[in-house]
Amino acid sequence: MKYASEDLRNEHEGVLFGLGILEKMVNTVKQSGTVDTKDIDDMVNFLRLFADKCHHGKEENLMFPAMEMVGIPNKGGPIGQMLIEHNQGRQYIAEMGASISSGILHVDRFTEAATGYINLMRAHIEKENTVLFPMGDKMLPMNEQEHLMNQFEEFEEEVMGKGTHEKLHETLHRFEKKYLKTRE
Ligand SMILES: [Fe+2]
Ligand SMILES: [Fe+2]
């Protein structure tokens, strides 16, 4: 890897993959009126841990501060906008989680929050990939890129632990088989 943003771009692919499955879940709910609530729980857990805690954690605690240091604006600028969107994402995830109570799914509450989240995150990732990260690639010196990559690794171990990553992968794989391969 040359740029620290490459690690974050790879994670974007993982998040987008999860969003594709979430979209199928929404369609399943709309068509049949229900979906396995355990699957929604697992999806919310994936988004909370991987998309928010790990990925947004790396951006907010490491990447964005480094970008600010080299002059990319936060408040009123691209970083500030990304932070606003992370918070909106958190609200959608909380809302999805709250759409299940005592094992019962509140269909509209779930589909509205999930659709809002999918649209928000797809646009958000597009902005980071095409606007913010190219700025960082250009402005952050190579020694800082390397430093960030090391920090990302440490951060990941710290907040996720190796076992968690594997478990989330398994969950996605199970979803892939259930929602992407058999329900076309
Ligand atoms: Fe972000
Ligand atoms: Fe991101």
Side-chain angles (χ1 to χ4, degrees):
M1 273 197 281
K2 190 175 166 201
Y3 299 114
S5 67
E6 287 169 59
D7 179 59
L8 300 173
R9 286 174 192 273
N10 285 338
E11 289 181 346
H12 283 169
E13 292 310 309
V15 175
L16 289 170
F17 184 76
L19 294 179
I21 292 166
L22 181 61
E23 196 169 40
K24 288 277 177 180
M25 287 180 177
V26 170
N27 291 338
T28 304
V29 174
K30 281 185 178 165
Q31 280 161 17
S32 68
T34 188
V35 68
D36 194 338
T37 52
K38 164 92 169 55
D39 287 353
I40 294 180
D41 266 340
D42 287 347
M43 174 56 81
V44 168
N45 190 44
F46 165 77
L47 297 173
R48 237 177 224 147
L49 273 176
F50 181 72
D52 198 46
K53 204 172 176 194
C54 177
H55 179 73
H56 292 159
K58 281 183 190 173
E59 290 177 346
E60 292 182 3
N61 295 298
L62 303 167
M63 184 59 136
F64 293 172
M67 285 174 157
E68 258 190 277
M69 292 284 284
V70 292
I72 299 173
N74 184 336
K75 269 209 160 66
I79 293 175
Q81 181 56 32
M82 295 303 101
L83 293 174
I84 291 170
E85 293 176 8
H86 286 182
N87 277 330
Q88 289 171 338
R90 269 169 209 137
Q91 283 164 21
Y92 281 129
I93 294 175
E95 187 62 16
M96 278 185 260
S99 72
I100 302 173
S101 59
S102 317
I104 294 165
L105 179 72
H106 297 260
V107 172
D108 291 346
R109 200 169 174 186
F110 169 70
T111 56
E112 273 165 36
T115 305
Y117 185 76
I118 291 165
N119 293 336
L120 172 79
M121 286 304 289
R122 281 182 178 155
H124 177 81
I125 286 171
E126 175 76 14
K127 281 179 240 176
E128 286 181 343
N129 281 352
T130 61
V131 181
L132 187 59
F133 290 173
M135 286 168 98
D137 292 350
K138 233 191 263 169
M139 292 170 78
L140 288 164
M142 287 329 280
N143 63 341
E144 182 56 31
Q145 300 281 0
E146 214 179 297
H147 181 55
L148 274 170
M149 284 187 255
N150 291 331
Q151 286 183 309
F152 284 171
E153 247 176 74
E154 280 168 30
F155 184 85
E156 204 170 302
E157 289 237 7
E158 209 179 282
V159 304
M160 298 271 286
K162 279 203 171 110
T164 311
H165 234 137
E166 308 249 295
K167 251 192 220 152
L168 292 176
H169 255 119
E170 273 168 35
T171 305
L172 277 191
H173 194 66
R174 184 170 68 75
F175 283 160
E176 184 184 12
K177 279 200 258 175
K178 187 167 174 181
Y179 290 94
L180 296 185
K181 294 196 172 141
T182 57
R183 287 181 183 266
E184 281 307 314

